[in-house]
C-alpha cells in the first residue's frame, strides 16, 4: 500500500502527561481515512502532532517518505498539509473573502485567488458565494464549518486533516458536508478525518483507524467495520440505537 502519511510508534507528551503511547497509522494516498475513538482517546493530539503543534517525543512522522517529526508547523503547511481544527480557526470579524484570501499562500489580495478554483469551491459550498462580502461571524455553525473546509482547500493540498467537522451540526447540514467531502475525494486529495459521528464516518470512509488510550486499536476498511456491529460495540461502545 502506498501511504502518503505514516506514523510509526509516535509518542507525544503534553507537559508532564504522556498522551500518545506509540501510534502506528498509515494514511493511503488518494483515500479518505477515518480516525474514530471515544472522547479523550487522543485523536486531536494525533492531528496536532502531525501538524507539529505538539512536538512528538519519539517515533516518526513520515510525509511522502520524509520525516517531518521535527519540522515547524509553517514548514509542514508549506509541504502541502492543511489542518481544519475542531475550533475551525476562522476570523469572525473578517469577511468570508478575507478569510479565504488569508488562507491562500500565494494570494496577497482577493484578486490573486484562483478564479476557477473559487468557482469550484462555490459549487461545493454555495453559501460562501452568498456571504462573500459579509463578516464570517454572521455565518451559521454549518456555514462556518464549510468556510473552514473551504479555507483548507483554497489551494491544492496533498493532505487534509479535519477534526470533527460534524460537531454540533444539524442532520441536513451534515448531509451537505458529506456531499462536499465526496466531491473532494473525487479530486484525489488524501484526507484524514476525525469523527465521533459513525453515520457520517461510514458514508465517507475508505479506511478506518480506531484509537483508544493513545494507541491505534483497530485498522481496516471502513466497509468492514460498518458491517460488523459487534466490532463497533467493542471498539466504540456503539449500540444499534446510535445509528438511528
Ligand atoms: N493541553 C492539554 N493538557 C493536558 N492534557 C491534555 C491536553 N490536551 C489534551 N489532553 C489530554 O489528552 C488526552 C487526549 O485528548 P485529545 O484531545 O487528543 O482526545 P480526543 O480523542 O480528540 O477527544 P475528543 O473526542 O473529546 O475530542 C485526554 O486525556 C486529554 O485530557
Ligand atoms: Mg478531539
Amino acid at each position: 500500500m502506498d501511504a502518503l502519511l505514516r506514523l510509526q510508534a509516535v509518542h507525544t507528551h503534553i507537559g508532564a502527561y504522556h498522551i500518545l503511547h506509540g501510534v502506528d497509522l498509515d494514511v493511503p494516498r488518494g483515500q479518505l481515512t477515518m480516525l474514530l475513538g471515544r472522547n479523550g482517546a487522543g485523536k486531536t493530539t494525533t492531528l496536532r502532532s502531525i501538524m507539529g503543534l505538539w512536538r512528538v517525543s519519539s517515533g516518526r512522522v513520515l510525509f511522502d517518505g520524509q520525516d517531518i517529526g521535527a519540522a515547524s508547523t509553517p514548514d509542514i503547511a508549506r509541504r502541502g498539509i492543511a489542518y481544519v481544527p475542531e475550533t475551525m480557526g476562522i476570523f469572525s470579524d473578517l469577511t468570508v473573502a478575507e478569510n479565504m484570501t488569508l488562507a491562500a499562500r500565494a494570494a496577497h489580495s482577493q484578486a490573486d485567488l484562483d478564479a476557477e478554483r473559487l468557482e469550484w469551491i462555490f459549487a461545493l459550498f454555495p453559501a460562501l458565494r452568498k456571504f462573500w462580502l459579509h463578516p464570517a461571524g454572521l455565518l451559521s455553525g454549518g456555514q462556518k464549518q464549510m468556510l473552514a473546509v473551504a479555507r483548507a482547500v483554497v489551494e491544492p493540498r496533498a493532505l487534509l486533516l479535519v477534526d470533527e467537522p460534524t460537531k454540533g451540526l444539524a442532520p441536513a447540514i451534515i448531509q451537505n458536508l458529506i456531499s462536499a467531502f465526496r466531491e473532494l475525494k473525487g479530486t484525489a486529495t488524501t484526507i484524514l478525518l476525525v469523527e465521533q459521528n459513525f453515520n457520517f464516518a461510514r458514508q465517507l470512509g475508505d479506511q478506518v483507524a480506531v484509537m483508544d488510550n493513545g494507541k491505534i486499536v483497530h485498522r481496516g476498511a471502513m466497509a468492514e467495520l460498518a458491517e460488523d456491529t459487534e466490532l463497533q460495540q467493542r471498539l466504540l461502545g456503539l449500540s444499534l440505537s446510535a445509528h438511528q
Side-chain angles (χ1 to χ4, degrees):
M1 183 193 56
D2 179 19
L4 176 61
L5 180 75
R6 174 165 281 174
L7 273 61
Q8 293 176 328
V10 166
H11 289 255
T12 297
H13 291 74
I14 302 178
Y17 301 99
H18 191 174
I19 309 291
L20 298 188
H21 295 265
V23 171
D24 291 304
L25 175 67
D26 280 351
V27 177
R29 196 184 296 270
Q31 296 193 25
L32 193 155
T33 300
M34 284 287 173
L35 183 58
L36 308 180
R38 298 180 171 98
N39 288 118
K43 305 178 298 293
T44 297
T45 305
T46 299
L47 296 191
R48 289 180 60 87
S49 299
I50 296 165
M51 271 327 274
L53 291 163
W54 297 128
R55 189 58 56 214
V56 304
S57 333
S58 65
R60 303 209 299 168
V61 181
L62 298 169
F63 177 61
D64 222 359
Q66 294 194 307
D67 195 340
I68 58 166
S72 70
T73 301
D75 182 30
I76 291 165
R78 264 193 301 274
R79 288 168 192 247
I81 306 183
Y83 174 45
V84 183
E86 227 170 330
T87 50
M88 300 190 280
I90 62 175
F91 302 100
S92 299
D93 295 335
L94 301 185
T95 65
V96 170
E98 288 164 340
N99 268 279
M100 293 293 284
T101 307
L102 276 177
R105 282 168 296 179
H108 299 292
S109 74
Q110 284 171 45
D112 297 333
L113 291 176
D114 181 331
E116 204 177 311
R117 195 163 180 90
L118 214 48
E119 280 306 314
W120 173 71
I121 287 173
F122 288 153
L124 283 180
F125 306 117
L128 299 186
R129 189 201 301 273
K130 190 168 154 205
F131 292 106
W132 190 237
L133 297 176
H134 294 254
L138 296 181
L139 298 176
S140 71
Q143 290 163 342
K144 283 187 181 133
Q145 189 58 255
M146 288 168 193
L147 174 58
V149 175
R151 293 188 79 216
V153 298
V154 65
E155 290 168 334
R157 310 278 194 234
L159 175 66
L160 202 54
L161 309 175
V162 191
D163 201 349
E164 285 203 52
T166 66
K167 204 171 187 178
L169 301 186
I173 307 293
I174 292 177
Q175 216 49 49
N176 287 351
L177 271 184
I178 288 175
S179 311
F181 277 109
R182 284 220 172 101
E183 174 75 23
L184 280 177
K185 279 175 66 167
T187 64
T189 305
T190 304
I191 302 172
L192 176 62
L193 202 155
V194 163
E195 255 309 335
Q196 296 257 19
N197 179 333
F198 192 74
N199 259 331
F200 178 83
R202 72 192 306 166
Q203 290 185 63
L204 279 173
D206 298 307
Q207 305 297 320
V208 63
V210 182
M211 286 196 89
D212 200 21
N213 282 322
K215 274 190 185 149
I216 303 290
V217 293
H218 171 85
R219 295 192 292 190
M222 185 73 231
E224 249 170 70
L225 180 60
E227 279 167 19
D228 193 337
T229 47
E230 199 184 309
L231 192 59
Q232 291 163 26
Q233 171 68 36
R234 184 157 61 76
L235 293 171
L236 300 161
L238 291 177
S239 62
L240 271 178
S241 60
H243 290 170
Q244 269 127 46

